[in-house]
Amino acid sequence: MPDWNAFVRQRLALRVRPEREAEIVQELAQQLSQASAELVNAGVPEVEALRRAEAQVGDWAALAREIEAAEAAPRHVEPPPPRMSLWAGSRHDLRYALRFLRKKPVFALVAAGTLAFGIGGNTAMFTIADAVALRGLPYPDADRLMTMGAHRQRQPEIEIYTSAPDFFDLRAHTQAFTALAGISPVWNMVLSGGAEAERLECLFVSANLFGMLGVSPALGRSFLAAEDDGTHGAQVALIGYAYWQRKFGGRTDVLNRPLALDGSSYTIVGVLPAGFRYAGEPLASAPTEIDVWLPLAANPLIATRRSLRFLKVVGRLKDGVSAEQGRDEIRRLGAALAREYPESNGEMAWEVRLLREEALGRYRTPVFLLLGAVGFVLLMASANVANLLLARCAERRQEMAIRVALGAPAFRIVRQLLAESLALAALGGAGGALLAQLLLKVFVAIGPAGLVRSQAIRLDARALLFTAAVVLMAATLSGLAPAWRSILPAEMGNALGGGRTLGAGAHRFRSILVMAQVALALVLLIGAGLLIRSFQRLLEVNPGFQAKNLVTISTQVPAGANSPEQRTAVYLAMRDRLLAIPGVRKVAAVSRLPMMGSDLTSSLFAEGKMVAGAPAVEAQYRRATPDYFATMGIPLRAGRWFDERDGRNNSVALVDEVTARRVWPGEDPIGKRVKLGSPPDAQPWTTIIGVAGSIRHFGLEIAPQPAVYTPYAASPLVAPILVIRTSAEADAMVPALAAAVRSAYPGIPAYNVFAMQTLVDRSTAQRRFLMLLLTAFAAGAMLLAAVGVYGSISHSVAQRTREIGLRMALGASRGAAMRMVLGEGLRLTLAGVAVGWLAAGALTRLMQSVLFGVRPLDPVAFAAAAVMLGCFAILACAAPAWRAARVDPLVALREP
Amino acid sequence: METQDLPRGSAEMVLLSLLEGRPRHGYELAKLIESKSESALTFRVASIYPMLYRLERKGLVDGRWVEKANERRRRFYRLTPRGRRALADQRRTWREFFAALNRITGFHHA
């Protein structure tokens, strides 16, 4: 086998550039070698093959002339494309950037991971904020949907409800709304007929609700208007999609099947679409979909009196009618009702609100607070990456400087560095999207039920678009400063002079970045600290009763039980059934229970304290059985509880501590006489026999208000709320207790069945959630700040190795070197803390509405955050300081 | 028929059209011309390479050294956008030429 290159070169005498000649020779050599090899493979002897291959060339001199002629032809130059200027070669830049990152995988991972943290948090919070505040409810024309209801004039903090008669009157007279629909509380009903009785969550709703929300059933039909007329609704039911899948495996023959609920039989006429929820869904125990929907007319409370307010009402405004006009109309109709029925409606104030506000409004402040917090985290992540890139730039300054010296325009350098940060941010964006997915899963699992139930919260195109924007922002934020620094003339000169260390300017810039990070982290830590302190304060609050192992069930005596004796008999039957269950220790009944969001007040006039024209004390009014206080764990402060002596024959009452202090300051209220109700002249005298401990009726955050109790026996309740004290874990007993209530009397309802602790937790759930999230973000921010400090200090130590070595050679101790490094870190941190304190002082005021028992400038939160951050910063400096102390002067000084 | 006998433009067109589908190296081009024309045309190595160099100078093709695993480094030629346009132009010219020839002689080319 000859050396083909030599073979060709011997024969071909070319007068072209040597590099070009080498290429041509190689190409021809390959041609000949392959041709001859093929011939040899075909069986031609090697010498003959060589000859034939060479014969392909023929005349070498002629070939040389032809090649020279071809090479001498003028080279065609492609004219530059018109949009060359700014973007030309940007693909090349990106390729170069990717190659660079591949070569530095650890750097790329750290930087992209840092950005992923910031981007993921932002994407997740944006998705939530989008659902809460930007996107609106998932119904057509949702901003035309209004909720309405009434509360006592002096109690705007109470949730608004409507009674069934009021609802029917509004519906009959409204001109402003195309339709009004009523929605019951979540009703726990027992499904029988199967192998095992099952407790289902049901809602009674007006037939027109689905049409109003623009929802049509996935299967079958919706309720007909006729099925919701009168007071005996047709026995038809719609089932929720999840229940359909769970119970019937999604079979289509489910239509027309009977459903035995609480002893009545309903026919399934349709299945609602997957994920359908009513956004204004009232108080519910678990974040699940409603199982069964029934016509409102079939609700057992629908024929009750006007003072029983239990319905939520939603309406759609007519075209051309403003929300203001709708509100005016409902207030007008409400005023008419008050004139007509002063007894029940006299003191009611009517409210009309956007359904969206009612469902989601209370989440807005916390969600935007969190969005701001993750914005901070993103800023910090970008600063960290900027710092890393700056350090990289230092290593590549000579390369950049030479490129500029050779004529590369500055913007090309900037663009290339930006391409690198963009590649990093894109990588971070991909990681961030995954992280966001995970965060949202956690959010849906533990987030406030009211929020998770009413809106589908998931990553969608909008969120990904937002992520893309965030990626671009992060790329610019983290890349622009390093890129700009690298083309400063001062830097250039230094770099060309052979320096590989950062100039003083760049060092100062990095210090500022680290300081800013420390400041941002401090602001977040202070915010989280304030929330943690608020939550602690809240948990320290004594609600005035013991919620543990306490179950509540709302019920209603049957329509036939009209006399006080009959009502008492029904109550006693329920009580006996409950007491028969092992683990039940006490049972009592009351008219209004704490933490359920509803209340009734009465004007209280004390004997000898009535001043003409002065307002009476508005006291929360409750009727309770004698054992109510013991069951709830409410302490007796003075006097005695109710007992069998008290009833219709003597008029007695208990007051709570707040009332006692307010009405009889410094006096003993026992034996004092009051009148309950207005006008006082029409009321009998009532004697105070005891003082009960105060309770927080509306939630842990709202201070106890005056309360007065009268004995159950004086006027047995039509709709008693049962409270049951259990010896075992209350949650597990809930179904058995509800079943016992239902079994006491045919057709008796049991709804709002809750473990009391669930209600108390619910009143703190939103705050707990906000606190957890902000704390998590703050912890992440602190970590980022520590990484920033670590990166900056260890880089500075690496650059000052010679200096440190020199100092040591001149007699400085290892301790001094360590102190020098720690001092530098501490100076940075302290400067950051100072800036952070100022910023926090300005920003925490925005948190006022989510704080409880803590001032926005709480010194403990401010100090604790600074100390914590300081400790972390010192920790971050420890390793570089240790390295500084171990510098060997001889080695350091020998280094180039 | 030897390449020298073909009109100059047509030899170039043969090369351009062979590069239309994908980049090829010189040896492959020679083999292809031999097999596709059923040996009616035989390119001499001597003529293929100067022709490729000329096409390259004109900016119609672009030659690049490509290294593949377990293969030696080869120079592949691919059509540039300008080459693609030139090929289309030449095709049109030839089509018109044959159409005219047809009308005059009643001769049908394959």
Side-chain angles (χ1 to χ4, degrees):
Chain A
M1 199 56 45
D3 174 353
W4 290 102
N5 277 351
F7 180 90
V8 172
R9 189 161 274 134
Q10 273 170 13
R11 289 160 179 76
L12 191 69
L14 284 177
R15 277 166 302 169
V16 294
R17 283 182 298 116
E19 314 91 82
R20 181 66 186 135
E21 192 216 3
E23 280 191 336
I24 294 170
V25 165
Q26 196 181 354
E27 207 172 6
L28 287 170
Q30 274 178 10
Q31 168 73 32
L32 294 181
S33 89
Q34 199 164 353
S36 93
E38 218 162 274
L39 289 166
V40 169
N41 283 347
V44 178
E46 200 172 325
V47 179
E48 172 62 7
L50 190 72
R51 196 195 59 73
R52 280 203 223 165
E54 199 190 355
Q56 287 190 340
V57 176
D59 184 357
W60 285 96
L63 179 60
R65 275 196 305 281
E66 266 192 74
I67 292 176
E68 276 170 12
E71 290 295 312
R75 178 177 282 279
H76 169 80
V77 181
E78 199 66 33
R83 60 189 170 76
M84 161 115 177
S85 52
L86 212 58
W87 297 104
S90 50
R91 262 180 53 195
H92 172 262
D93 279 352
L94 217 53
R95 254 205 315 274
Y96 184 86
L98 287 175
R99 197 158 7 129
F100 163 72
L101 295 181
R102 247 203 323 271
K103 276 199 296 202
K104 304 269 181 191
V106 175
F107 166 77
L109 264 179
V110 170
T114 305
L115 287 177
F117 181 64
I119 294 172
N122 273 274
T123 303
M125 277 323 297
F126 169 79
T127 306
I128 296 168
D130 190 34
V132 170
L134 307 174
R135 201 155 24 137
L137 296 173
Y139 315 122
D141 265 337
D143 52 351
R144 307 287 292 162
L145 293 171
M146 315 288 286
T147 64
M148 59 205 68
H151 59 76
R152 292 227 163 236
Q153 274 157 8
R154 269 173 257 179
Q155 293 182 300
E157 68 274 21
I158 298 187
E159 275 191 61
I160 52 170
Y161 284 99
T162 307
S163 69
D166 282 355
F167 165 60
F168 294 131
D169 285 343
L170 290 181
R171 189 160 70 170
H173 294 107
T174 178
Q175 303 284 326
F177 291 88
T178 56
L180 294 183
I183 298 114
S184 77
V186 174
W187 222 263
N188 295 104
M189 296 174 88
V190 170
L191 175 77
S192 51
E196 200 175 305
E198 192 182 347
R199 200 160 65 100
L200 299 182
E201 296 208 319
C202 311
L203 272 187
F204 291 87
V205 298
S206 297
N208 59 4
L209 176 72
F210 303 105
M212 188 188 293
L213 300 181
V215 173
S216 33
L219 186 70
R221 63 168 174 86
S222 183
F223 296 141
L224 307 174
E227 286 166 344
D228 195 25
D229 279 349
T231 53
H232 299 287
Q235 306 292 80
V236 291
L238 285 163
I239 58 176
Y241 194 89
Y243 179 63
W244 180 45
Q245 295 295 329
R246 190 172 77 229
K247 177 80 180 176
F248 299 100
R251 286 204 315 273
T252 51
D253 63 357
V254 70
L255 295 181
N256 297 321
R257 275 185 181 232
L259 210 54
L261 290 172
D262 276 4
S264 305
S265 180
Y266 295 84
T267 305
I268 298 174
V269 297
V271 178
L272 286 165
F276 170 71
R277 294 173 166 100
Y278 172 59
E281 219 165 78
L283 202 70
S285 56
T288 52
E289 278 180 46
I290 291 296
D291 298 315
V292 179
W293 302 70
L294 302 165
L296 184 61
N299 186 285
L301 299 189
I302 208 67
T304 49
R305 50 195 207 292
R306 217 169 265 277
S307 57
L308 183 68
R309 298 191 166 80
F310 72 108
L311 290 178
K312 291 280 185 186
V313 176
V314 59
R316 181 178 282 284
L317 286 168
K318 277 185 184 159
D319 287 340
V321 175
S322 71
E324 215 31 68
Q325 288 167 318
R327 187 169 296 129
D328 287 347
E329 187 200 63
I330 295 300
R331 292 213 168 124
R332 216 167 42 243
L333 292 174
L337 287 173
R339 279 193 301 277
E340 202 170 336
Y341 309 101
E343 188 82 347
S344 57
N345 289 35
E347 290 176 35
M348 303 309 288
W350 284 82
E351 290 279 345
V352 179
R353 301 174 185 153
L354 267 173
L355 178 62
R356 186 162 74 109
E357 278 305 306
E358 175 86 353
L360 301 172
R362 64 202 139 118
Y363 301 115
R364 188 167 301 135
T365 309
V367 164
F368 277 108
L369 193 70
L370 288 173
L371 198 59
V374 284
F376 272 29
V377 173
L378 181 68
L379 278 181
M380 294 187 55
S382 298
N384 249 350
V385 172
N387 234 332
L388 286 172
L389 285 172
L390 269 176
R392 279 281 147 238
C393 278
E395 293 165 15
R396 296 160 64 197
R397 285 162 74 238
Q398 257 181 313
E399 172 202 336
M400 299 297 168
I402 288 169
R403 284 183 57 189
V404 171
L406 290 179
F411 82 84
R412 288 290 311 259
I413 306 276
V414 170
R415 201 181 60 191
Q416 193 208 310
L417 291 172
L418 278 181
E420 281 173 25
S421 63
L422 184 64
L424 276 178
L427 219 60
L434 290 179
L435 182 69
Q437 190 85 347
L438 196 78
L439 285 176
L440 288 175
K441 274 216 182 89
V442 173
F443 176 78
V444 169
I446 67 166
L451 181 50
V452 178
R453 284 168 81 107
S454 55
Q455 287 282 50
I457 291 178
R458 55 169 179 265
L459 282 188
D460 56 8
R462 285 163 66 109
L464 292 179
L465 213 66
F466 175 82
T467 308
V470 171
V471 163
L472 277 180
M473 201 176 86
T476 315
L477 283 178
S478 59
L480 208 51
W484 178 65
R485 284 225 67 92
S486 69
I487 55 162
L488 285 182
E491 296 291 314
M492 289 289 162
N494 184 1
L496 281 177
R500 283 176 53 99
T501 58
L502 278 177
H507 189 71
R508 196 165 51 241
F509 186 77
R510 291 193 61 187
S511 298
I512 290 174
L513 272 182
V514 171
M515 220 178 64
Q517 279 181 297
V518 171
L520 285 171
L522 187 73
V523 172
L524 287 186
L525 278 174
I526 290 174
L530 288 173
L531 287 184
I532 292 173
R533 303 247 307 145
S534 295
F535 198 70
Q536 276 175 343
R537 287 281 161 88
L538 196 63
L539 290 187
E540 286 163 9
V541 163
N542 177 8
F545 59 90
Q546 285 155 20
K548 206 167 152 31
N549 294 345
L550 197 60
V551 177
T552 169
I553 301 174
S554 298
T555 184
Q556 164 97 354
V557 300
N562 290 322
S563 72
E565 290 75 18
Q566 284 168 320
R567 290 180 203 161
T568 307
V570 173
Y571 164 65
L572 289 177
M574 291 190 288
R575 194 186 70 166
D576 292 345
R577 297 263 174 159
L578 288 168
L579 285 173
I581 296 176
V584 171
R585 286 170 44 206
K586 289 192 182 73
V587 176
V590 71
S591 56
R592 290 289 186 280
L593 197 68
M595 308 289 164
M596 305 250 314
S598 90
D599 190 35
L600 189 68
T601 62
S602 173
S603 304
L604 183 147
F605 302 91
E607 188 177 20
K609 312 233 170 203
M610 281 183 279
V611 182
V617 172
E618 280 302 313
Q620 295 170 355
Y621 173 80
R622 294 173 207 122
R623 240 176 298 154
T625 55
D627 38 8
Y628 172 72
F629 305 93
T631 308
M632 289 289 282
I634 298 173
L636 182 70
R637 298 298 186 206
R640 64 167 178 90
W641 295 129
F642 298 132
D643 58 29
E644 62 282 353
R645 285 169 285 173
D646 308 316
R648 267 170 296 164
N649 308 324
N650 64 339
S651 193
V652 296
L654 289 159
V655 291
D656 76 329
E657 286 173 289
V658 173
T659 314
R661 269 201 303 274
R662 185 169 307 176
V663 181
W664 299 280
E667 296 175 59
D668 182 8
I670 309 296
K672 297 276 192 314
R673 296 203 305 169
V674 297
K675 291 196 175 203
L676 296 173
S678 185
D681 300 344
Q683 310 299 332
W685 285 110
T686 300
T687 309
I688 305 299
I689 56 162
V691 178
S694 288
I695 58 168
R696 296 195 174 226
H697 190 83
F698 295 106
L700 295 181
E701 300 176 27
I702 298 172
Q705 284 159 24
V708 57
Y709 299 87
T710 60
Y712 170 90
S715 171
L717 296 162
V718 176
I721 299 174
L722 304 176
V723 282
I724 302 143
R725 168 74 58 191
T726 62
S727 53
E729 194 51 53
D731 268 330
M733 297 188 63
V734 164
L737 298 175
V741 170
R742 284 193 199 86
S743 69
Y745 204 89
I748 235 172
Y751 61 103
N752 283 344
V753 181
F754 296 111
M756 200 66 202
Q757 191 63 49
T758 310
L759 291 179
V760 175
D761 288 347
R762 177 178 168 272
S763 80
T764 63
Q766 194 182 326
R767 183 178 291 281
R768 176 194 301 268
F769 184 66
L770 178 64
M771 176 192 73
L772 283 178
L773 273 189
L774 192 62
T775 306
F777 290 146
M782 191 165 69
L783 218 63
L784 283 179
V787 170
V789 171
Y790 169 81
S792 171
I793 299 299
S794 65
H795 191 253
S796 137
V797 167
Q799 291 195 334
R800 291 164 70 188
T801 306
R802 268 173 70 102
E803 179 201 328
I804 295 168
L806 191 63
R807 281 170 188 252
M808 284 187 168
L810 293 177
S813 67
R814 295 191 183 282
M818 226 163 160
R819 274 197 298 281
M820 186 178 88
V821 174
L822 281 179
E824 187 185 345
L826 217 55
R827 265 198 305 282
L828 274 183
T829 310
L830 286 180
V833 165
V835 175
W837 265 343
L838 288 178
L843 286 172
T844 49
R845 264 180 303 142
L846 301 175
M847 295 178 68
Q848 185 89 60
S849 73
V850 293
L851 297 183
F852 176 79
V854 174
R855 279 171 303 129
L857 294 179
D858 180 54
V860 176
F862 273 64
V867 168
M868 203 147 131
L869 196 57
C871 289
F872 253 73
I874 289 173
L875 221 61
C877 294
W882 179 245
R883 268 203 300 280
R886 287 167 50 104
V887 164
D888 183 338
L890 287 178
V891 176
L893 291 174
R894 262 205 303 273
E895 267 183 11
Chain B
M1 204 165 23
E2 292 274 350
T3 42
Q4 292 95 310
D5 304 328
L6 289 168
R8 186 177 185 125
S10 65
E12 286 189 1
M13 183 176 148
V14 169
L15 283 178
L16 291 179
S17 59
L18 285 177
L19 292 175
E20 200 178 6
R22 63 178 176 85
R24 300 177 194 279
H25 51 80
Y27 186 76
E28 193 187 2
L29 286 169
K31 289 296 248 188
L32 269 174
I33 292 169
E34 213 172 359
S35 64
K36 278 205 176 174
S37 64
E38 290 160 349
S39 299
L41 296 172
T42 316
F43 267 55
R44 285 197 160 209
V45 176
S47 53
I48 275 199
Y49 289 92
M51 221 181 294
L52 282 171
Y53 300 157
R54 190 171 293 115
L55 291 173
E56 197 174 4
R57 300 293 286 194
K58 286 185 186 170
L60 300 181
V61 302
D62 184 20
R64 275 188 200 175
W65 291 98
V66 175
E67 218 165 333
K68 289 184 183 165
N70 304 323
E71 268 186 60
R72 59 182 127 180
R73 204 163 88 100
R74 286 178 175 287
R75 196 162 164 85
F76 275 81
Y77 294 90
R78 64 178 181 85
L79 223 48
T80 64
R82 189 171 141 88
R84 218 167 278 283
R85 283 196 298 276
L87 178 62
D89 281 346
Q90 286 198 19
R91 280 210 173 110
R92 197 170 51 246
T93 312
W94 279 94
R95 213 175 291 126
E96 284 163 10
F97 173 65
F98 277 117
L101 209 61
N102 254 348
R103 283 196 298 277
I104 298 163
T105 63
F107 158 86
H108 283 269
H109 76 94

